[in-house]
Amino acid sequence: LVIVCSDNGPERGAGSAGPFRGFKTHLYEGGIRSSLVVWGPGLVTKQNHVDRDSVFSAIDLVPTLLALTGTPKPHGVQFDGEPLLKTILGEGGSRRAPIFFRRPPTL
């Protein structure tokens, strides 16, 4: 399994968020969305598929990879993310809990 993900949002003047409003540090989609590419022969059945509906956050990566490998989570550890195995394997679905973003005040 190969997973490629990027940092969220482009720096102002250094890139484009395409059709989305905002840049890095903005709480608009252009500032918080990032790409995720998953490739896994025998695991990911869809090829050249773009899922525009599912919501998957970077905080979901660890619980999802633990579920994929059948690894139990460490005792006493509570993850903010959710295991989204179907989502990462291209079968769709989204996290249920909301995702909160916070930007520290500018000094």
Side-chain angles (χ1 to χ4, degrees):
L1 182 68
V2 176
I3 299 174
V4 179
C5 53
S6 71
D7 191 6
N8 57 309
E11 288 284 347
R12 184 183 300 271
S16 167
F20 304 113
R21 179 173 51 160
F23 297 93
K24 189 176 294 303
T25 74
H26 293 179
L27 296 181
Y28 299 113
E29 281 195 331
I32 60 175
R33 283 183 83 157
S34 60
S35 59
L36 175 70
V37 178
V38 180
W39 178 76
L43 290 173
V44 180
T45 56
K46 292 184 178 179
Q47 294 183 9
N48 302 316
H49 172 70
V50 176
D51 183 346
R52 298 187 187 279
D53 299 317
S54 296
V55 176
F56 186 98
S57 175
I59 62 175
D60 300 322
L61 277 172
V62 171
T64 300
L65 294 174
L66 291 175
L68 177 68
T69 60
T71 304
K73 72 176 185 176
H75 179 70
V77 173
Q78 180 67 34
F79 293 111
D80 290 330
E82 302 175 18
L84 298 172
L85 195 51
K86 286 186 174 186
T87 308
I88 206 166
L89 295 180
E91 299 171 19
S94 290
R95 59 180 292 112
R96 295 178 188 266
I99 302 171
F100 294 99
F101 291 90
R102 181 177 146 272
R103 180 178 178 269
T106 305
L107 299 176

